[in-house]
Amino acid sequence: MIIHTAEPQLPERIARLEELAHNVWWSWTPQARELFRTLDYPRWRMSEHNPVKQLHTMTYDQLQAAAEDAAFLAMYDDVMASFDTGCPASNLCFIPTESMGFTAPIAYFSMEFAIHHSLPVYAGGLGVLAGDICKEASDLGLPMVGVGFMYPQGYFRQRITPEGWQEEEYIELDFRDAPISAALNPDGRRIQVSVQVEDKTVHVVAWQVRVGRVNLFLMDTDVEGTPPRFRKLSARLYAADPEVRIQQEIVLGIGGVRVLRALDLAPAIWHANEGHTSFMMLERVREKVQAGKSFRDAFQEVRESSIFTTHTPVPAGQHIFPNSLVEKYLNGYWDALGISKDEFLGLGRTGGQGDQSFNMSALAMRIADKRNAVSVLHEKASKRMWHGLWPDRPVEDVPIVHVTNGIHVPTWVAPEMNHIYTKYLGRDWVTRSDDQEMWDRVLNVPDEELWRVHLGLKRKLMHIIAERGQQDWSNGQTSAEHIVATGGLLDHDVLTIGFVRRFTEYKRPGLIFHDIERLKHIVRDRWRPVQIIFAGKSHPADFIGKRLIHEVYTLATNREFQARIAFIEDYDLHLAHYLAHGVDVWLNNPRRMQEASGTSGMKAALNGVPHLSVRDGWWYEGYNGRNGWDIGGLEEPGNTEEEDRGDAEALYRLLEQEVVPLYYHQDRSSIPHGWIQVMKESIRSVVPLFCSRRMMKQYSDRLYLPAIEAVKRRGPA
């Protein structure tokens, strides 16, 4: 149990530990993590690797002992020197990179940011991508400022009932334990802005999160003076009620712009991550109209500096509000823009004049001059989907490009794999993560050494799962059956497949159960057994997703599977690391053309875990025939039943004839050399192409710099 002491009174010699703890740079910097681990390992573990919380549980005497420990002080001085180099001390942590053409920051708006599990203001992949973008921007010295929401209740904590149904538990964030501080204006006063929602004034304050050089500002509506019905507007992420959703998106877009103005920031580029953020563009148009420009001129100026990233490959996934809600909550906003209500609603229209819906992505597509999908396949799907906005052009000329997603390598690499890469690729390997020639040297890593590290990571995963079950059991919170169903009897010597993602129908978590008897034969093989770990949440309003969780959990309790199916509850960033590091195979089988990109398989590949996937999203670009396995080929089936039947057959055949035999074909020293070649090829071919360093360089080259040049050509606004 964590017990808070008073606010830590740090000895002067190590006084900057508090500053370091409040900048999540430490979370992707090995020597900084080791510093807090060394400070007090039991509290490091009890705080779930959260140094802010760790420091708040330590006494002055304990901290004074560290301040007198020569070895600790040497480590502390080295870390702080790196911190000052990697993240110069500054309230706004902004370094102009004029050599790259950037003299003002990029404003990056997103509904969610996954920075660290101590700040649970994320739900899934969209937030993980946003967090990785901020971290890579910091590493590259790319000036960026993030804007999102502070959700005190976060998304939700997942609990599985004894009957196998997901229950949502919302736990209020203790702000004392989070790496946040009040956002201040240049005069040192806390900023506060207001936004009109319907006929009410909503007051907004912001919290600052330091992400290396990048600052993230998270808005909070729980402010005195805000009407009671709106004070909890920012309490939870992705509310099911469409009225709450549109209220949140008004505050995010309009309020976010006003927060940056209150901070005296003038971004050069405004980047909208998905349609939730689109009102940000309209607010900037309104500013210019209020300053005396015509709507047409203001629209064009905003257009040149706006970038929109879409993540949704199917029309059904678009974020759409009925016109009645838009009229209700933005009543009169069109007057401030100098246009009619019908013209305003037309900005979000995708159909003809009779269309009574307002599409947030259509709004962003119309205003932003630069638009990108998040993979090669997604670009093709997006061009087809949005062709109606450019009906006079051929589909291939629809102005949408792609920047395939990538992962922030320092965040997602296991410490043990980091050691191998440092040893065989060089001490500077992280800064060269997009260098293909460097990654070719992975082939020189001795098989025995790589396998030993992988088995260690696998044992660590099994230990974490067992420890969770032990804690639940000792607290009287679970039954023996539940412990078995949640992985209590998993075996680290068995080939382990991981299916770890949001539980929703198109991702087909139940595909591997298409033929139950055949699967039983695979997992129960006496000499070559297989076990499968599932983890993921379903949105509280997604009843189909909840049913899929229930089906998996029910099968996990079936004794005929011999405890080789497990559902691990409450998947979060903390658990994500252990799973991506420790399983043997990463399984992904979405319906074709419904996964825009995905990134979880990239994280697994970084740690030597091969991908077994349908060639959708990023795997269409990543698969080379030697670095994993392709389920079902590229041909699109005629219907969903045919697709499920064909892909299930392909999956079983791959497991029976290729994956399982290769894993268990081991020499006398129990080394599977053929399998290790797939591991190495997965690392070698995936990491340089799907790292965030490559991604952010492409954002700069394809989107940011061209936008800056367009603004320069126009001249002063």
Side-chain angles (χ1 to χ4, degrees):
M1 181 177 69
I2 289 287
I3 299 175
H4 281 86
T5 63
E7 289 295 308
Q9 298 296 316
L10 289 166
E12 184 176 354
R13 181 64 176 83
I14 56 172
R16 295 187 67 198
L17 280 177
E18 188 78 6
E19 177 189 354
L20 180 63
H22 277 81
N23 190 318
V24 292
W25 172 87
W26 67 262
S27 70
W28 73 86
T29 308
Q31 62 267 38
R33 291 200 304 270
E34 185 61 27
L35 179 70
F36 288 113
R37 177 188 171 98
T38 303
L39 178 64
D40 189 315
Y41 179 64
R43 282 179 170 78
W44 173 247
R45 287 202 66 200
M46 290 170 66
S47 69
E48 294 187 309
H49 304 177
N50 176 0
V52 176
K53 191 173 186 177
Q54 177 189 12
L55 289 176
H56 289 177
T57 64
M58 296 183 69
T59 66
Y60 182 83
D61 287 345
Q62 291 169 327
L63 293 166
Q64 182 61 42
E68 296 172 358
D69 184 325
F72 180 82
L73 291 177
M75 185 185 299
Y76 170 83
D77 290 340
D78 286 346
V79 169
M80 296 314 301
S82 297
F83 179 63
D84 289 337
T85 301
C87 180
S90 164
N91 184 47
L92 291 177
C93 261
F94 165 59
I95 300 176
T97 49
E98 297 183 14
S99 62
M100 299 173 67
F102 298 101
T103 55
I106 302 151
Y108 184 79
F109 280 60
S110 182
M111 196 73 176
E112 53 175 303
F113 287 86
I115 303 295
H116 185 257
H117 65 270
S118 61
L119 194 62
V121 294
Y122 58 88
L126 185 76
V128 172
L129 175 71
D132 282 6
I133 281 176
C134 290
K135 293 172 184 178
E136 192 63 59
S138 173
D139 290 345
L140 286 171
L142 188 66
M144 180 173 282
V145 57
V147 179
F149 267 121
M150 169 63 78
Y151 303 103
Q153 296 177 16
Y155 190 39
F156 64 87
R157 299 292 299 270
Q158 181 192 55
R159 293 289 177 261
I160 306 299
T161 69
E163 295 74 32
W165 293 101
Q166 172 181 289
E167 288 187 343
E168 298 86 33
E169 180 182 4
Y170 292 92
I171 299 175
E172 198 80 17
L173 176 68
D174 187 339
F175 282 24
R176 295 175 301 171
D177 291 336
I180 61 173
S181 56
L184 307 177
N185 67 16
D187 295 329
R189 297 191 306 272
R190 183 158 198 188
I191 66 157
Q192 180 172 312
V193 302
S194 61
V195 179
Q196 202 73 14
V197 180
E198 197 176 9
D199 59 347
K200 305 296 183 184
T201 299
V202 176
H203 299 288
V204 181
V205 295
W207 298 91
Q208 181 176 359
V209 182
R210 290 176 171 84
V211 187
R213 292 185 176 102
V214 169
N215 268 290
L216 172 59
F217 295 100
L218 302 178
M219 291 180 289
D220 185 354
T221 61
D222 191 9
V223 180
E224 186 176 351
T226 292
R229 62 180 285 220
F230 293 121
R231 287 194 67 156
K232 296 298 183 183
L233 184 59
S234 60
R236 297 180 182 178
L237 177 60
Y238 296 140
D241 184 344
E243 296 212 27
V244 175
R245 293 285 285 270
I246 193 170
Q247 293 164 14
Q248 287 182 326
E249 294 182 20
I250 289 169
V251 172
L252 175 61
I254 297 174
V257 173
R258 295 176 184 179
V259 162
L260 293 185
R261 300 308 188 201
L263 289 163
D264 201 24
L265 289 173
I269 302 297
W270 300 73
H271 187 165
N273 188 35
E274 196 49 279
H276 318 104
T277 64
S278 303
F279 289 133
M280 166 265 286
M281 301 181 195
L282 282 181
E283 172 63 6
R284 290 161 49 229
V285 174
R286 185 202 63 79
E287 288 180 328
K288 294 180 182 296
V289 170
Q290 294 302 107
K293 294 185 182 294
S294 68
F295 174 80
R296 181 188 181 97
D297 289 344
F299 188 94
Q300 183 58 31
E301 288 184 16
V302 168
R303 178 184 180 83
E304 289 172 348
S305 59
S306 297
I307 292 165
F308 174 57
T309 298
T310 176
H311 295 266
T312 309
V314 292
Q318 296 301 317
H319 205 195
I320 300 170
F321 296 112
N323 281 352
S324 58
L325 279 187
V326 177
E327 293 179 45
K328 176 180 179 180
Y329 288 106
L330 284 160
N331 184 27
Y333 194 80
W334 43 85
D335 295 330
L337 292 169
I339 58 177
S340 69
K341 180 176 73 173
D342 190 61
E343 288 174 309
F344 179 85
L345 295 175
L347 293 171
R349 191 176 291 138
T350 55
Q353 283 297 116
D355 184 4
Q356 295 299 304
S357 61
F358 193 92
N359 188 308
M360 295 294 285
S361 292
L363 172 65
M365 287 279 178
R366 282 192 170 95
I367 301 181
D369 188 48
K370 302 286 187 295
R371 313 156 197 88
N372 75 281
V374 290
S375 71
V376 169
L377 273 185
H378 186 218
E379 178 188 326
K380 295 178 181 178
S382 297
K383 285 176 182 287
R384 291 198 300 266
M385 185 164 61
W386 295 106
H387 186 214
L389 298 185
W390 294 273
D392 298 331
R393 300 188 183 192
V395 172
E396 59 272 17
D397 290 340
V398 168
I400 300 173
V401 300
H402 78 274
V403 175
T404 301
N405 286 345
I407 60 165
H408 185 245
V409 167
T411 291
W412 293 104
V413 67
E416 297 85 346
M417 293 298 292
N418 186 9
H419 177 75
I420 280 188
Y421 296 151
T422 300
K423 181 177 179 181
Y424 291 98
L425 307 185
R427 297 181 64 85
D428 63 343
W429 76 270
V430 168
T431 62
R432 300 173 58 200
S433 56
D434 59 339
D435 181 347
Q436 179 64 73
E437 185 176 340
M438 178 194 73
W439 285 103
D440 290 343
R441 299 206 293 269
V442 163
L443 301 178
N444 299 327
V445 177
D447 287 4
E448 296 79 4
E449 190 168 351
L450 182 58
W451 189 241
R452 184 174 63 252
V453 165
H454 174 67
L455 290 183
L457 292 170
K458 191 173 177 180
R459 289 189 182 95
K460 184 185 290 187
L461 168 63
M462 300 305 170
H463 174 74
I464 291 295
I465 293 172
E467 189 178 59
R468 283 180 160 215
Q470 184 183 46
Q471 289 174 349
D472 286 345
W473 177 262
S474 62
N475 293 333
Q477 296 176 342
T478 191
S479 64
E481 183 180 61
H482 184 79
I483 289 177
V484 172
T486 54
L489 296 183
L490 292 173
D491 185 343
H492 61 73
D493 288 328
V494 172
L495 169 59
T496 303
I497 298 171
F499 184 95
V500 183
R501 50 200 14 92
R502 182 163 54 91
F503 263 65
T504 191
E505 194 278 332
Y506 86 85
K507 293 181 182 285
R508 298 190 294 177
L511 182 70
I512 201 168
F513 299 111
H514 192 268
D515 185 336
I516 292 288
E517 295 306 314
R518 191 169 177 181
L519 181 61
K520 287 177 183 176
H521 179 76
I522 293 171
V523 303
R524 298 189 313 194
D525 187 288
R526 181 178 179 184
W527 305 111
R528 301 188 305 191
V530 175
Q531 59 193 14
I532 309 169
I533 295 176
F534 292 86
K537 296 177 178 178
S538 175
H539 187 278
D542 183 359
F543 299 107
I544 293 176
K546 288 184 174 183
R547 181 175 55 78
L548 291 169
I549 290 175
H550 176 260
E551 291 175 359
V552 170
Y553 182 89
T554 300
L555 289 167
T557 63
N558 187 334
R559 290 177 183 269
E560 293 187 25
F561 278 106
Q562 298 179 350
R564 291 192 176 130
I565 306 293
F567 184 90
I568 314 302
E569 64 183 346
D570 202 29
Y571 174 62
D572 64 3
L573 276 184
H574 192 57
L575 183 59
H577 285 79
Y578 292 109
L579 287 163
H581 298 166
V583 299
D584 296 307
V585 180
W586 202 259
L587 175 62
N588 186 32
N589 41 239
R591 296 200 182 282
R592 284 164 180 76
M593 302 303 291
Q594 293 199 27
E595 180 146 282
S597 175
T599 60
S600 63
M602 305 172 190
K603 298 157 193 160
L606 169 65
N607 293 285
V609 177
H611 208 44
L612 169 60
S613 177
V614 169
R615 285 185 72 185
D616 199 17
W618 77 276
W619 192 232
Y620 174 82
E621 302 164 56
Y623 176 65
N624 67 11
R626 304 180 307 278
N627 60 356
W629 298 272
D630 167 28
I631 300 172
L634 289 172
E635 186 175 346
E636 293 189 41
N639 56 61
T640 57
E641 288 185 8
E642 180 183 328
E643 182 177 21
D644 289 348
R645 184 170 57 252
D647 286 344
E649 172 60 32
L651 176 55
Y652 293 139
R653 188 172 60 250
L654 284 169
L655 290 173
E656 293 164 341
Q657 299 177 13
E658 298 186 35
V659 178
V660 177
L662 187 65
Y663 182 87
Y664 284 105
H665 184 66
Q666 302 179 357
D667 66 13
R668 292 181 178 179
S669 300
S670 300
I671 307 295
H673 294 284
W675 183 271
I676 294 169
Q677 292 312 301
V678 178
M679 292 174 63
K680 290 180 179 179
E681 181 62 20
S682 179
I683 296 167
R684 187 200 70 82
S685 62
V686 169
V687 181
L689 290 179
F690 301 100
C691 62
S692 58
R693 181 141 301 202
R694 183 274 310 158
M695 174 178 65
M696 292 311 293
K697 287 180 179 179
Q698 287 186 346
Y699 268 116
S700 294
D701 292 342
R702 298 180 184 181
L703 299 169
Y704 296 158
L705 289 173
I708 285 175
E709 289 303 313
V711 172
K712 285 181 178 178
R713 286 195 298 271
R714 178 175 47 78

